[in-house]
Amino acid sequence: MGEGSKKSKKDSKWFKAKAFELIERFGKENKDKEISPYLEHAVKAIEQTLFAGKIPDAITIPTGDDPEGKNISIHLKQKSLEHRQIDEIQKEAAKSLIRKFSEINATTKSDAQQSGLIRDKVGNSGKYEFLYRNLSPEVEILEVQYSGGGRIFGFFTQEIFNVVCIRTDHVNID
């Protein structure tokens, strides 16, 4: 008997034991209730998984509830527009900034990071320290480029991109 066959039998025994354990616990917790419909539903979900090769909907997060599947919302943090550069922004850069916000808002978090739309992580050191002021230590600032040297800095909370600072030129580190 091959090693793969032994593992398969061991996995099968574990699954059967786990299934009986779950059914017994479910029966105890729902003593005076009819549990047959629930068990039938569970069996159908397992059959679909085994024979269709897909994860059943019953045990997955619905797409509407999964923050990774939702389009990004943009939240401008207080004072994110108070940087003196924004007052001097030129017409073309302003248009580019609005287009970039539109592009971010029309994509999901994972697509934005995979495509490079939302790019580099910005460390909490040197000339970037000002971005982290008054933020939680767990926050990780990300950078989005627009109009040449223009940058949008922000962080994610679920599917919300919280803009911390908008600059018309790149931060120079000497």
Side-chain angles (χ1 to χ4, degrees):
M1 190 181 285
E3 191 64 36
S5 180
K6 286 180 183 178
K7 180 164 176 24
S8 181
K9 283 188 177 185
K10 183 181 175 186
D11 289 346
S12 181
K13 282 183 180 180
W14 174 86
F15 179 75
K16 288 175 186 173
K18 194 68 172 171
F20 283 117
E21 177 189 319
L22 290 171
I23 291 168
E24 186 177 328
R25 190 172 84 208
F26 186 76
K28 285 179 183 177
E29 291 175 1
N30 296 282
K31 280 192 246 201
D32 301 325
K33 296 179 185 173
E34 177 62 38
I35 64 169
S36 295
Y38 299 106
L39 294 176
E40 287 175 22
H41 182 70
V43 168
K44 285 179 184 175
I46 291 168
E47 284 176 338
Q48 285 178 344
T49 302
L50 294 176
F51 297 111
K54 71 173 192 120
I55 299 172
D57 296 337
I59 61 172
T60 60
I61 298 173
T63 305
D65 296 340
D66 183 5
E68 294 297 319
K70 292 182 180 177
N71 279 0
I72 298 170
S73 295
I74 297 171
H75 176 96
L76 296 173
K77 300 287 287 174
Q78 187 177 10
K79 298 184 180 183
S80 63
L81 295 176
E82 291 182 6
H83 195 276
R84 68 179 184 273
Q85 289 187 328
I86 292 299
D87 295 338
E88 300 166 7
I89 194 167
Q90 300 299 311
K91 184 177 179 179
E92 289 307 311
K95 284 181 182 180
S96 178
L97 177 62
I98 291 169
R99 277 193 301 274
K100 190 58 74 170
F101 276 144
S102 243
E103 191 177 348
I104 292 169
N105 193 239
T107 189
T108 64
K109 179 180 173 182
S110 60
D111 288 343
Q113 290 178 317
Q114 288 174 357
S115 70
L117 174 63
I118 296 179
R119 308 172 1 144
D120 305 323
K121 296 175 184 169
V122 178
N124 186 1
S125 62
K127 292 192 176 187
Y128 289 110
E129 283 182 288
F130 75 97
L131 296 170
Y132 287 88
R133 227 175 279 135
N134 301 320
L135 296 176
S136 168
E138 293 86 34
V139 166
E140 187 173 70
I141 301 284
L142 301 167
E143 174 183 67
V144 178
Q145 181 180 355
Y146 75 95
S147 183
R151 299 292 192 271
I152 303 167
F153 296 98
F155 63 93
F156 276 107
T157 308
Q158 300 283 0
E159 75 279 0
I160 299 169
F161 188 67
N162 300 282
V163 177
V164 176
C165 178
I166 301 170
R167 295 183 52 94
T168 58
D169 60 4
H170 192 56
V171 177
N172 293 322
I173 299 178
D174 301 287

